Structures are given as structure tokens and as C-alpha cells.
Amino acid sequence: MQIDPAAMQTMRQVLTGPTGQGKRRGTWLHLLSALMELADGQAELISHSERAWASATFAGTRHRVTLRFTGAGAVEAGEGFIDALAEHEFTIPRQLVADAAVITVQHTALPQPMLEVQTELLLLEDA
């Protein structure tokens, strides 16, 4: 199962305005787009949460994202996603991905193959 392209277009229009201008595209949308690309477009977004994060020297956000891969081909793409995530070089404007980790993985065989992956990513503001 994949995200509906029409729904994605509607979401982008809500965020950026009908002409693609207006509100600035949020960091989270850049991150989700990069994750979906890494998943070869085979994932369905189940959830996303974001919270502020700071240390003595850095500030940023921690994101928790759950993706579902449904069907044999999608599960194969999901396994590739798991293998690639930690070493992937993300390109997100004004952000550095300091950490990207798989938190949980749940496999289901019936009624059809399914893989659900929960990830956590730490993004730091790139000054």
C-alpha cells in the first residue's frame, strides 16, 4: 500500500499554498519526503511526531516516524530501507541528520506480508 499521490498533492498545497508559494515547507515534510524516497515509494506513512531537542551546544528536533510496507515487494523494499537508514546521507535544508535509527520492526505474514518500521531521527539546526 502506498500513499495516495492525490492526497500528497493536497497536503503539499495546504502547506505551501496552491501555487507552491506562501508558507515555508516545514523541515518535517522534507524529512518525510527523504524517508519515502529511501523506501523506494513502497511505504505508507502511519505516524510522525516531532519534539524539540537541545543540548548545551546544539538545538534541533527529534522525529519519530512509523512506516508500513505491505506486500512481498514492499516488504523487500522495507528491508532495504532498514539496511540503508543508519548510513544514509540526508539532504534537508538547514538541517543535519545527527542520528537515524530503527527503533522497532514488526513482521506479519498473514493475510499478506507486512513490515512496520518505527524510526527515530535527530535533526540539528545547521547554522
Side-chain angles (χ1 to χ4, degrees), residues 66-103:
T66 303
L67 300 176
R68 182 178 296 151
F69 299 83
T70 305
V75 167
E76 187 175 330
E79 290 168 351
F81 173 85
I82 291 168
D83 290 341
L85 180 66
E87 299 300 320
H88 184 70
E89 293 291 327
F90 289 89
T91 305
I92 299 173
R94 298 172 303 283
Q95 302 289 313
L96 299 172
V97 178
D99 187 38
V102 173
I103 304 301

Side-chain angles (χ1 to χ4, degrees), residues 3-13 29 32-33 36 45:
I3 290 181
D4 178 8
M8 282 293 287
Q9 182 62 30
T10 300
M11 180 175 66
R12 285 190 177 127
Q13 286 180 349
L29 189 53
L32 293 179
S33 295
M36 295 306 274
L45 175 64

Side-chain angles (χ1 to χ4, degrees), residues 1-2 35-45 65-86 88 101-108 113-119:
M1 184 177 266
Q2 298 179 15
L35 289 171
M36 295 306 274
E37 185 177 322
L38 185 60
D40 291 331
Q42 297 293 311
E44 174 186 7
L45 175 64
V65 178
T66 303
L67 300 176
R68 182 178 296 151
F69 299 83
T70 305
V75 167
E76 187 175 330
E79 290 168 351
F81 173 85
I82 291 168
D83 290 341
L85 180 66
H88 184 70
V102 173
I103 304 301
T104 63
V105 176
Q106 180 180 352
H107 282 274
T108 304
M114 190 219 27
L115 175 68
E116 194 165 290
V117 180
Q118 185 177 62
T119 63

